[in-house]
Amino acid sequence: MLFQIKSYLKFLWESKNEHGVHSPFVFSLLTKCFYDKKPKPEYSILKNYQKSLLHNKNFIEVTDFGVGSKVFKSNRRQISKIASTAGISTKRAELLFRVTNYFQPKNILEIGTSLGLGTSALALGNKDSFLLSLDGCQNTLSVAENLFNEQFPDFNFEFLNLEFGEFLKDSATICDWNLIYFDGNHSKKATIAYFDLLLPTITNDAVWIFDDIHWSIEMEEAWEIIKNHPKVTVTIDTFQWGFVFFRYEQEKEHFVIRA
């Protein structure tokens, strides 16, 4: 906890808003997407999805393949508690929706479905996209899949119960992933491994989002490695998320942004 407090204070000291940004690409992203305050009809759909989970008092057995939970001491967990403590916040879900809606990715890959709160934001951002979401825990994945079948029956989505590395080694390059949301194994080794395995899929317009980049010293080290990779041109650190772009025409720049 002390580590994260120090990291957040450093973030606040270094961060800027759109007035400190001179890149036209990043300025447009901030003003038209990150800081867009206009109400969206999709927000109520996201809240309804979240409410259905918060009202679910059933217990499931959760399988953790990553570094585990900082909140739960047992693998037997109540769905409503997972949604309220480990799920994406309403503010973050709305931002994830806006980002997906802004870039309109054709193919979306999510690494770490959990209960599908982030997944619903990705799906609503571009209803014409193909969305593939992976999770190693069959029980949480089943909750998300059942809700999606109920609430988004016409969307083009697929859920796969696989260990992330296993899928990426065999099938990472089945298509060009226009947007990838990394929200699974929060370890340095796994994060860099997934990054390397997915590099062959990048295009000029690819958007990668890494969750919890300041979750631990290891994750901060992974973020530094990603930022300095020669194929990465632009990164945006919003504290919880790290945005990565591979735009060939851009000069290499790193931004720390309050979002």
Side-chain angles (χ1 to χ4, degrees):
M1 181 62 73
L2 181 60
F3 164 76
Q4 287 187 318
I5 292 171
K6 288 181 178 178
S7 290
Y8 188 62
L9 291 174
K10 181 182 178 184
F11 167 81
L12 290 177
W13 177 259
E14 296 178 350
S15 60
K16 304 174 182 177
N17 56 25
E18 76 274 21
H19 301 299
V21 171
H22 302 294
S23 162
F25 167 72
V26 176
F27 183 82
S28 177
L29 175 61
L30 297 184
T31 55
K32 296 179 180 178
C33 174
F34 278 31
Y35 300 148
D36 179 5
K37 303 300 182 185
K38 296 187 291 291
K40 317 287 183 188
E42 289 85 359
Y43 290 172
S44 62
I45 301 174
L46 289 173
K47 286 177 182 175
N48 287 335
Y49 188 98
Q50 185 180 45
K51 282 180 182 177
S52 65
L53 291 169
L54 293 174
H55 293 158
N56 191 331
K57 303 304 180 182
N58 293 324
F59 283 82
I60 58 174
E61 193 74 19
V62 174
T63 304
D64 279 324
F65 288 95
V67 293
S69 172
K70 289 184 176 180
V71 177
F72 297 101
K73 303 303 180 185
S74 167
N75 284 344
R76 187 174 183 271
R77 302 169 191 174
Q78 194 171 36
I79 291 171
S80 59
K81 293 288 179 62
I82 300 173
S84 62
T85 59
I88 189 173
S89 68
T90 299
K91 180 182 176 182
R92 288 285 159 180
E94 291 176 355
L95 176 56
L96 190 57
F97 161 78
R98 292 197 303 274
V99 169
T100 311
N101 190 250
Y102 181 82
F103 288 106
Q104 289 291 293
K106 181 181 177 183
N107 298 308
I108 303 171
L109 174 64
E110 180 184 37
I111 300 175
T113 314
S114 188
L115 298 176
L117 286 163
T119 323
S120 61
L122 294 167
L124 286 165
N126 183 10
K127 298 172 186 177
D128 295 324
S129 67
F130 167 63
L131 169 62
L132 176 61
S133 188
L134 312 173
D135 206 280
C137 176
Q138 180 60 66
N139 291 334
T140 54
L141 193 72
S142 294
V143 174
E145 190 167 14
N146 289 337
L147 264 179
F148 257 69
N149 285 326
E150 175 188 314
Q151 299 193 17
F152 311 125
D154 298 325
F155 286 17
N156 185 14
F157 64 87
E158 184 175 354
F159 291 93
L160 285 181
N161 174 222
L162 283 172
E163 195 277 320
F164 306 142
E166 176 187 342
F167 171 83
L168 296 178
K169 285 176 184 175
D170 297 334
S171 307
T173 57
I174 56 174
C175 66
D176 291 335
W177 299 109
N178 310 108
L179 189 151
I180 304 177
Y181 181 42
F182 297 81
D183 185 21
N185 189 322
H186 291 82
S187 73
K188 175 182 176 180
K189 182 179 178 180
T191 300
I192 297 304
Y194 303 159
F195 175 86
D196 289 337
L197 287 167
L198 283 159
L199 270 179
T201 73
I202 60 171
T203 65
N204 194 55
D205 298 321
V207 184
W208 290 14
I209 307 169
F210 290 86
D211 185 53
D212 281 337
I213 56 173
H214 296 284
W215 194 80
S216 64
I217 294 174
E218 267 204 354
M219 283 302 291
E220 285 196 344
E221 290 172 349
W223 177 239
E224 287 300 314
I225 292 170
I226 290 166
K227 280 169 54 179
N228 292 312
H229 192 279
K231 289 190 177 180
V232 171
T233 54
V234 175
T235 62
I236 302 174
D237 177 349
T238 67
F239 190 72
Q240 181 168 351
W241 287 342
F243 290 79
V244 176
F245 302 93
F246 306 88
R247 296 166 60 83
Y248 310 131
E249 69 274 19
Q250 298 282 144
E251 291 186 15
K252 197 172 186 73
E253 285 188 276
H254 307 298
F255 299 89
V256 182
I257 299 294
R258 295 186 293 276

